[in-house]
Amino acid sequence: MSKVSPCLWFDGEAEEAAKFYVSLLPDSRIDKIQNNTVDGPAGKAGTVLVVEFTLAGQRFMALNGGMKMEYTHAISFSIDCVDQAEVDRLWAALLADGGKEEQCGWLRDRFGVSWQIVPRQLHGYIGGPDAAGAARAMQAMLGMIKLDVEALRRAYEGNAAA
């Protein structure tokens, strides 16, 4: 078990967010829910204060901090996707109910958290041994919103779009 775990700040949505995130990936679960014991800035006695959860084997904490805080791109969570189907599934799920698309495989979910939905193949294309192919793949990626494995492969190989 890791000594370090991210803590995400919410304004009353910690449990909803944690349940949503654990529904997306295998090896994920809610581990513990701690309620407020007294009325305070984080909520009334009996409401959720902290949710400890595991997301794809990584421990997280969701905290209802008592006020809305904005997330920045300085912190994001990258999901290593095995194929285009997983990219598509996670992209759609994280955008549902108010998420926002961004460039190069980035998005913000409805809670404002930044995610990178990355096909495993990307690093082999943009960091591959063929420097010209890697440059073409990088250029292709920079023009994408959701990453497209097949288009990245074609760019790396120097093939025109099918």
Side-chain angles (χ1 to χ4, degrees), residues 15-70:
E15 184 176 14
E16 177 187 353
K19 285 180 176 179
F20 172 61
Y21 297 147
V22 303
S23 76
L24 299 175
L25 297 166
D27 193 19
S28 300
R29 66 191 170 277
I30 301 293
D31 297 311
K32 181 180 177 184
I33 297 175
Q34 177 185 339
N35 292 329
N36 286 297
T37 56
V38 297
D39 291 354
K44 299 280 186 193
T47 62
V48 173
L49 175 62
V50 173
V51 180
E52 295 176 20
F53 64 103
T54 300
L55 185 59
Q58 170 66 48
R59 288 182 36 199
F60 281 77
M61 182 187 312
L63 168 70
N64 281 325
M67 69 174 83
K68 183 74 174 166
M69 300 293 277
E70 297 297 322

Side-chain angles (χ1 to χ4, degrees), residues 76-87:
S76 64
F77 298 103
S78 181
I79 301 178
D80 175 43
C81 298
V82 70
D83 57 20
Q84 189 68 48
E86 188 174 24
V87 168

